[in-house]
Amino acid sequence: MTGRGALLAALSLLAVTHWGRGRADLVAAVLGLSGLGLVVLCGIASSAGVALAAAALRRARTARGLVLECGVERDTGLEPTGPGALPLVEWSWRWRRPRGVACSIHARRGRLHERARPTLRFAAERIERQLEVGDVLGLWRFQPRCVEPVELIALPDPGALRGVPWPAVLQPGDGLPDPDARPCGEPLELRAWAPGDPARRILWRSWARARRLDVRVAERSLEAARC
């Protein structure tokens, strides 16, 4: 019970016992009984709501292998179905562990979706959430904790580099001609034979026609690496 609920319960009890019964004030008695009934009704609804909300949050699962980025809000895949049909009940939750994660809850198509935005980089093996369930009048408030084992990581904030395409990394290949690259491309170039050249690269047709020993040489080229 919150301070507001305790105050309302105390005033209602005082109105029933002191003014209602002591001074035979029917108006005060009715108001006191109504206040006590409201406190009891909100307490029952909140108790049922916290049980349903905790069960729904334990059944829901966060996306496996979740990778977050500092300063970027991202959907975690958690979609619990809670006590939305119970009257007088409102509920939400927040992250306790890991620290430095701002959690926001959005409703889409009748379901709640969790989005997280970390401010610190970390690597964790579990998420500890704290439920906050209570009535709309603020008379009762429950705050149980739910722990879910899941591996997640928060990468550093790239800052001004966010959105900048990474340059292509080049490796030896047969894509782009480059005079400074190693001869590793297709054997397209020709030159005169020199001692040490393998016989399998000799162009025998050229020898048959012109009695000239030519060899095929691999071109100097690069290609984009697949990162």
Side-chain angles (χ1 to χ4, degrees):
M1 184 181 294
T2 62
R4 184 185 303 176
L7 180 61
L8 179 59
L11 292 178
S12 300
L13 186 61
L14 181 63
V16 172
T17 56
H18 182 69
W19 288 290
R21 296 182 59 182
R23 299 185 180 182
D25 192 340
L26 296 180
V27 176
V30 171
L31 292 178
L33 291 175
S34 300
L36 290 175
L38 184 61
V39 171
V40 172
L41 178 62
C42 290
I44 294 175
S46 299
S47 301
V50 72
L52 293 177
L57 200 59
R58 291 189 180 97
R59 287 194 305 267
R61 289 291 180 267
T62 306
R64 299 301 174 186
L66 182 62
V67 178
L68 303 175
E69 186 177 297
C70 293
V72 178
E73 190 178 48
R74 183 167 299 175
D75 199 337
T76 63
L78 189 73
E79 301 179 1
T81 55
L86 288 179
L88 304 177
V89 176
E90 60 181 8
W91 70 301
S92 63
W93 64 88
R94 61 185 179 90
W95 286 30
R96 290 183 56 89
R97 299 286 191 281
R99 297 184 179 275
V101 179
C103 174
S104 60
I105 305 169
H106 305 269
R108 296 198 305 264
R109 299 178 182 179
R111 300 175 66 94
L112 297 180
H113 295 258
E114 180 189 64
R115 297 181 65 86
R117 182 175 61 84
T119 57
L120 302 173
R121 59 181 182 178
F122 59 81
E125 297 181 352
R126 67 173 188 172
I127 300 176
E128 181 180 343
R129 296 181 176 92
Q130 180 169 343
L131 268 171
E132 295 182 0
V133 185
D135 60 279
V136 295
L137 300 179
L139 306 180
W140 296 84
R141 188 70 57 189
F142 297 92
Q143 294 181 332
R145 299 179 185 178
C146 299
V147 179
E148 180 187 5
V150 60
E151 294 184 358
L152 71 157
I153 185 173
L155 302 177
D157 185 2
L161 294 179
R162 182 181 289 113
V164 177
W166 289 94
V169 179
L170 300 179
Q171 66 179 5
D174 53 1
L176 303 175
D178 187 356
D180 296 328
R182 294 184 301 171
C184 55
E186 294 291 338
L188 300 179
E189 299 180 4
L190 297 178
R191 67 171 174 81
W193 179 86
D197 291 336
R200 60 186 178 86
R201 292 189 178 274
I202 296 177
L203 189 62
W204 296 107
R205 291 183 179 179
S206 177
W207 168 258
R209 289 195 303 264
R211 296 297 177 177
R212 186 178 66 249
L213 285 178
D214 295 330
V215 293
R216 293 184 182 275
V217 181
E219 64 174 347
R220 299 174 180 270
S221 62
L222 299 172
E223 66 179 359
R226 296 182 178 180
C227 302

